[in-house]
Amino acid sequence: MSVGIVWFRQDLRLADNPALQTALKQCDEILALYIHDTRLGTLGQIGAASQVWLHHSLGLLDGSLQSLGSCLHRLVGDPVEVLPELAKVLDVTGVFWNRCYDPVTLERDKQIKQSLEGFEPTSHLANLLFEPVKTLKKDNTPYRVFTPYWKNLMGELPGGAPLAAPRKIPALTIETQKRLSNKKLKSVTLEELELLPERDWSEPMIKQWAVGEKAAKIRLKSFLTNDVKHYNNERDIPSSAGTSRLSPHLHFGEISPRQIVSEVMGKRRSVASLQIGEQTFVKEVVWREFAHNLIYQFPHTVDQPLDTRYKNFPWAKRYGKALRAWQQGQTGVPIIDAGMRELYATGWMHNRIRMVVASYLIKNLLIPWQEGERWFRDTLVDADVASNAMGWQWAAGSGADAAPFFRVFNPVLQGEKFDREGDYVRRWVPELYSVPNKFIHKPWELPPDERKSLDYPPPLVDLKVSRQAALEAFSTIKSASKYKN
Ligand SMILES: Cc1cc2nc3c(=O)[nH]c(=O)nc-3n(C[C@H](O)[C@H](O)[C@H](O)COP(=O)(O)OP(=O)(O)OC[C@H]3O[C@@H](n4cnc5c(N)ncnc54)[C@H](O)[C@@H]3O)c2cc1C
C-alpha cells in the first residue's frame, strides 16, 4: 500500500487542487496535513485577523475531508523538520503541495525539497493562473507595467478547466495510523493551534463572513448573478456591496483564480467577448496575479521600495501619535476614519478607501508605507504579502506601475466623489450621523457652535499644508535615477 502526504497551505479547498488530485492518482492512502509554522520570520507570520479566518477555514476543511472518508492531520512545528520525519515514519511514496510565491515560503520550500530527497516531493501550480517564472516580456525580462502584462495574459485565459473535487479520499489504515502514535507526530486539536486571540474581539468580526470553500463558491455565484453587471459603475462606491469580497477566500485558497475566471467565462472562449463588468472583474483578478509576479521577480519589494530613490525619502521622524490616530480612525478626516474603523470591525476595507487611507498615511502624515503595510497585515482577513506590498508601493509611488508621488489624493474630494451622500461615513463614524451632506466630508467647516457640539476630533494635519510638505519631501529625491540596484 502506498502512502502520500498532501500538505495543505494556502489552498484550503478540495476542488481544483492539483496536489490532492496527483496524490490520489499515485497513492492508496492519503495523509491530509496542515502544519502551523510558528517559526516563520515576520514577513511570513500571519496577522491576528487572518489567524481567526484560518482557524475557521481549517475546521471547515477538516469537515469536508471527513465527509469524504479522511480528516485533517494538524501539527505545530517547523515543516523543514516535521515533513522528513513524517515521510520516514510513514515510508511515503510522495509528498504533494501547491506552490506559493512569496520569498519566505519559497526559501523554506527549497530547503524542504532538499530534505525530502528520496520521497518524491512534488509541487503544483494552483494558486495562480500562470507560473510567474514563465510570464516574462518578449526580451525575457519581468513586467513592471500592468497593461502589457494584461494584454499578454488575456489571450491565454481561462488557461485550462478547473479540476473537480474528489468523491472519496482514502484515509490512512489503522496500521499506518499506529506509526503516528509518536507524540510529536500525533495530530493536535484545532484549538491547540492557538489561532484565536485570548481576548475575543474576533467574534463580531468573523460573524460578518461565511468562511470556507462552499461559502466561496456561493459568494462567487451570487456576485456573478447579481452584481458583476454593475461592477464597472459600483466598484468604486464604498457604501455599495458592488465588489465580490472574494479576497480572503482567494488568499486562503478556498477558491482558485482558475475557478473564478472559468466561471465568469463559461462557454465564451475569449475575454474580449465578456460584458464590460465581467471583463473588469477578470482584470482585477489578474492584478492579483501581477502582484504575485512582482514579488516573485523582485522579492525584496515585500518590504523595500522597487524605486531605489525612496530609500532616501525624508520620512517624518517621530510619528507614533499620528500613526495611532490613523490606526484607530481618529484623524478627524471622516473618509479616513470610516475606512480605518471598517477595517478594524470587519477585517476588510473597500479598495478605493484602501488607496485613500494609504495616500493619507504616506503623503499627509509622511509615515513610511511599511508601517501601513504592517497594520494592514495584522488587521485584514485578506492580508496577502504580494497584494499588500503592491498596494502600498502603488500608493507610495515606489513600486511597479505606481501612482506618481506628486498625485496626492485629497480625502475630502475623494469622499465627495465616491461617498456623495455620506452613507459610508455615517455608517462607520456615527458621531457625524446628523452632519448635513455639505459638511459630512469636512466637518471642520461647520459653523463653530455646531462644530463644538460634535464628539469628533479636529483634523490631525492641515490637508493643504501637509500636501505641500509631501511635495517638498519628494523633490529631494526625484532627480536621482529610479532603479539603481
Ligand atoms: C494599500 C492597499 C493594500 C492592499 N492590500 C491587499 C491585501 O493585503 N490583500 C488583497 O487581497 N488585496 C489587497 N489590496 C487590493 C484590493 O484592495 C483588494 O484585493 C480588494 O479590495 C478586495 O476586495 P474584493 O474581493 O471585493 O475585490 P474585487 O473588486 O471583487 O476583485 C476581485 C479580486 O481581484 C483581486 N484584486 C482586486 N483588486 C486588486 C488589487 N488592486 N491588487 C491586487 N489584487 C486585486 C482580489 O483578489 C479580489 O478578491 C490592497 C490595495 C491597496 C490599495
Side-chain angles (χ1 to χ4, degrees), residues 225-275:
T225 309
N226 305 313
D227 306 308
V228 76
K229 49 184 167 295
H230 311 297
Y231 184 68
N232 244 41
N233 299 328
E234 292 290 314
R235 59 192 279 268
D236 268 323
I237 310 296
S239 61
S240 138
T243 66
S244 71
R245 298 194 185 217
L246 281 166
S247 50
H249 298 290
L250 268 165
H251 171 74
F252 286 101
E254 295 170 349
I255 196 163
S256 74
R258 190 160 55 169
Q259 286 173 296
I260 295 180
V261 175
S262 296
E263 193 69 34
V264 178
M265 293 186 69
K267 292 202 167 70
R268 292 164 294 181
R269 293 323 315 157
S270 79
V271 173
S273 63
L274 301 180
Q275 293 163 359

Side-chain angles (χ1 to χ4, degrees), residues 434-446:
S434 50
V435 170
N437 284 359
K438 187 177 169 200
F439 298 107
I440 191 75
H441 293 292
K442 43 184 176 190
W444 53 89
E445 288 188 6
L446 277 166

Side-chain angles (χ1 to χ4, degrees), residues 289-472:
E289 192 92 359
F290 185 55
H292 285 263
N293 267 264
L294 287 177
I295 57 158
Y296 180 79
Q297 302 292 356
F298 308 104
H300 66 286
T301 60
V302 293
D303 60 353
Q304 297 299 317
L306 180 66
D307 179 342
T308 50
R309 294 174 302 171
Y310 283 84
K311 286 188 175 165
N312 300 318
F313 191 84
W315 300 110
K317 290 274 181 293
R318 271 184 290 278
Y319 53 73
K321 213 169 130 203
L323 178 62
R324 272 191 299 282
W326 178 81
Q327 290 168 338
Q328 290 164 4
Q330 294 290 343
T331 66
V333 181
I335 199 82
I336 304 293
D337 294 343
M340 298 310 292
R341 294 183 199 186
E342 177 185 31
L343 171 61
Y344 206 76
T346 68
W348 187 86
M349 191 196 290
H350 189 276
N351 181 59
R352 166 65 42 185
I353 309 301
R354 291 189 203 203
M355 296 193 282
V356 179
V357 301
S359 168
Y360 179 81
L361 183 86
I362 295 164
K363 295 173 183 175
N364 295 97
L365 302 181
L366 284 184
I367 294 179
W369 62 266
Q370 289 91 336
E371 292 282 8
E373 190 274 341
R374 210 169 297 144
W375 181 251
F376 269 29
R377 191 153 19 107
D378 203 29
T379 51
L380 280 170
V381 285
D382 66 22
D384 182 88
V385 179
S387 299
N388 204 24
M390 182 180 76
W392 279 96
Q393 296 235 35
W394 179 89
S398 62
D401 210 355
F405 191 90
F406 56 79
R407 201 169 295 154
V408 182
F409 276 126
N410 179 325
V412 175
L413 298 182
Q414 289 286 312
E416 288 173 349
K417 186 165 175 195
F418 298 109
D419 185 36
R420 207 181 301 167
E421 308 291 317
D423 296 340
Y424 180 71
V425 162
R426 287 192 183 87
R427 165 142 198 232
W428 295 108
V429 191
E431 306 94 291
L432 301 178
Y433 193 81
S434 50
V435 170
N437 284 359
K438 187 177 169 200
F439 298 107
I440 191 75
H441 293 292
K442 43 184 176 190
W444 53 89
E445 288 188 6
L446 277 166
D449 279 0
E450 288 175 48
R451 172 73 196 92
K452 256 190 225 148
S453 68
L454 286 179
D455 180 20
Y456 186 66
L460 196 61
V461 291
D462 181 283
L463 294 174
K464 266 194 195 146
V465 173
S466 55
R467 175 180 186 277
Q468 197 47 41
L471 296 181
E472 279 162 27

